[in-house]
Amino acid sequence: MQDTRPPVAWPPVRTVFFRFGAFFFLLLILTLPWPQDSLPHPANWLAPLFTKWNGYTGFYILGLPATATYKLASDTPGLYIHLLHCFLLAVIGTLSWSLVDRKPRNYDKARCWLINLAAFYLAMHLFMYGWNKIFKWQFYQPEPNTLYTPLADTYPDLLYWSTMGISRSYSIFLGIAELLAAILLCLRSTRPGGALLALTIMANVVAVNFSFSISVKVYSFLLLLLAAWLCYAERRRWWHALFGSRTLINKRRMLLRLALFGAIILFTLFPYLKSGVYNDDAAPRPAFHGAYDVPVFIVNQDTLLPLTTDQFRWRRVFIHRQNYFVTQLMDDQMQDYAFRCDTVTHEWWLQDPETGEEKVFAYSQPEANGPLFISGVLGTDTITAMLQPLDWKNKPLLQSPFTWTIDP
């Protein structure tokens, strides 16, 4: 039997909080950059405008330097300023709405739509994070230069990332948990459980980000607040989630939800289907990717001995998967250069990150998998070096044998 009673108007305080929350949340999802570019997003057009506004506020009002990072990326001054702007815009929007419309109203339907939007928005991120972990796009295998960096010289965020990257099974386990939370959020009958699971997952993510100083602290905290609000908003449906509901199912709405659910799965899977990479550890690497010892290092026709007091001589060289040429000096300090190579002309190009100056090195490799010989000018010095490949893939950190006992 359908309930014909008129909806009860909301109290003024609840109305004001709802209007403010709706404004603030909508501003965030419309302006924060989307993690994927598979589909167009309003942030693609709005983010540049807010970035300029951030720069004006930061430089002229807050007194921040002009060189500060004002783009909308997590843990940047620009994002903190953007949150302040969204807060002020939400306050202005709430006050304007309340002055124009002072009549008591019922916002149950609008609240329902906002809950659905928040649930699907959070589910979308959990789907993306889950697929990233299952296909090992997030916690990738440690790079050779990371393996040869002394533990004391490794930053906490890189150490955590590398530790997670050596275990595919645990990465898959975390991904399955995030996918499960996303699926439960998309289904109305299981949404309370999905919100609770998402809250647990995001609480752990936030704790990791803050504890290891990983630079997505602010954005992950916003997702945690969203999960907490969904748990609060669905508090009255816990009984139905645990013991079921006798409410008749609207088939049209159910089909619409299933279609939206399928679209979200396809959208979040698109980058992996497009690339064909379902295990990043096995993905192709650039030419010469790996680690190399430097037994011979000649500067201006002067052979430098491998002395630990030498702050110029190379100790090792690494070719990074993201096309970086990384040198490890004798004192273990690292220096990276943008790297590209031409296997036809046998030339390497190294670009200084500070000056942008690009230098060309000729290389030769007389024997397959044998030592490389390179020569070129770096800065004002002529450098000739022999690079001996290292068997970095067999480092103990990358070996993960499973044993049932501690006995050999």
Side-chain angles (χ1 to χ4, degrees):
M1 184 174 181
Q2 188 175 2
D3 189 357
T4 58
R5 292 176 298 178
V8 179
W10 283 19
V13 175
R14 187 186 181 191
T15 299
V16 169
F17 274 103
F18 172 77
R19 290 172 177 176
F20 172 81
F23 269 119
F24 188 73
F25 173 62
L26 291 175
L27 282 170
L28 289 181
I29 66 173
L30 290 176
T31 57
L32 290 180
W34 192 245
Q36 294 183 2
D37 55 0
S38 304
L39 291 176
H41 190 270
N44 296 336
W45 300 280
L46 295 176
L49 299 177
F50 278 90
T51 299
K52 292 182 179 179
W53 189 14
N54 292 342
Y56 180 87
T57 302
F59 184 74
Y60 291 103
I61 299 178
L62 301 179
L64 298 178
T67 56
T69 304
Y70 293 114
K71 65 180 181 179
L72 302 184
S74 188
D75 295 4
T76 62
L79 183 59
Y80 289 107
I81 297 173
H82 181 65
L83 292 177
L84 175 61
H85 287 162
C86 289
F87 179 85
L88 295 176
L89 289 175
V91 170
I92 294 172
T94 302
L95 292 176
S96 302
W97 190 356
S98 300
L99 291 174
V100 172
D101 185 7
R102 300 184 182 183
K103 183 179 179 180
R105 296 184 183 278
N106 180 282
Y107 289 97
D108 286 344
K109 289 186 177 180
R111 177 178 175 274
C112 182
W113 278 103
L114 190 64
I115 291 175
N116 288 331
L117 179 61
F120 280 108
Y121 182 79
L122 181 58
M124 186 80 74
H125 283 78
L126 289 171
F127 268 122
M128 289 187 290
Y129 292 145
W131 295 129
N132 272 340
K133 289 180 176 66
I134 286 181
F135 298 132
K136 220 166 180 296
W137 281 32
Q138 184 177 13
F139 300 121
Y140 42 79
Q141 191 179 71
E143 283 293 305
N145 59 297
T146 302
L147 295 174
Y148 287 91
T149 301
L151 181 64
D153 294 334
T154 306
Y155 290 99
D157 57 344
L158 180 58
L159 181 60
Y160 174 80
W161 223 258
S162 301
T163 304
M164 296 294 292
I166 64 176
S167 175
R168 189 186 182 196
S169 58
Y170 187 63
S171 182
I172 292 175
F173 171 77
L174 293 179
I176 291 175
E178 291 177 344
L179 291 179
L180 177 60
I183 293 172
L184 295 177
L185 282 171
C186 290
L187 304 176
R188 181 174 173 80
S189 59
T190 58
R191 186 170 296 161
L196 182 61
L197 181 57
L199 178 66
T200 305
I201 291 172
M202 291 312 305
N204 178 68
V205 170
V206 169
V208 167
N209 291 341
F210 277 85
S211 300
F212 291 88
S213 190
I214 298 174
S215 58
V216 283
K217 295 183 285 292
V218 176
Y219 197 69
S220 61
F221 185 71
L222 292 175
L223 293 179
L224 173 63
L225 292 179
L226 188 60
W229 179 76
L230 281 173
C231 285
Y232 175 78
E234 297 286 357
R235 64 193 184 283
R236 296 180 180 178
R237 300 187 56 244
W238 284 104
W239 179 271
H240 297 306
L242 294 173
F243 303 105
S245 173
R246 297 182 180 180
T247 305
L248 294 178
I249 299 176
N250 187 310
K251 293 184 178 180
R252 185 178 178 182
R253 290 185 179 179
M254 177 60 69
L255 291 176
L256 181 62
R257 291 194 184 100
L258 290 176
L260 183 58
F261 176 68
I264 289 177
I265 292 181
L266 290 177
F267 171 71
T268 54
L269 268 175
F270 180 75
Y272 316 97
L273 298 175
K274 181 180 179 181
S275 67
V277 177
Y278 305 109
N279 177 13
D280 185 76
D281 290 349
R285 297 296 192 260
F288 304 106
H289 174 262
Y292 301 86
D293 198 8
V294 186
V296 178
F297 190 75
I298 303 173
V299 180
N300 300 325
Q301 300 183 349
D302 183 16
T303 302
L304 301 185
L305 297 177
L307 303 177
T308 55
T309 55
D310 194 325
Q311 298 182 356
F312 185 80
R313 190 191 189 281
W314 298 350
R315 182 178 183 179
R316 297 189 185 95
V317 164
F318 311 97
I319 307 296
H320 195 278
R321 58 176 290 171
Q322 295 179 351
N323 293 312
Y324 285 99
F325 183 90
V326 184
T327 61
Q328 182 180 23
L329 305 182
M330 294 304 298
D331 60 356
D332 289 329
Q333 295 298 312
M334 298 284 189
Q335 174 66 52
D336 58 274
Y337 304 86
F339 172 78
R340 58 189 180 95
C341 71
D342 190 328
T343 56
V344 176
T345 62
H346 288 243
E347 290 179 327
W348 289 354
W349 284 269
L350 309 184
Q351 185 180 43
D352 191 295
E354 296 181 358
T355 64
E357 185 179 9
E358 195 171 52
K359 297 295 185 179
V360 181
F361 276 71
Y363 76 87
S364 63
Q365 190 174 28
E367 299 179 4
N369 301 320
L372 282 160
F373 298 89
I374 66 171
S375 61
V377 178
L378 192 62
T380 58
D381 300 302
T382 301
I383 294 177
T384 302
M386 183 179 112
L387 311 182
Q388 181 68 43
L390 294 171
D391 189 16
W392 63 275
K393 291 186 178 181
N394 286 323
K395 296 291 285 184
L397 183 63
L398 297 185
Q399 309 307 310
S400 54
F402 178 82
T403 57
W404 287 106
T405 69
I406 61 175
D407 296 333

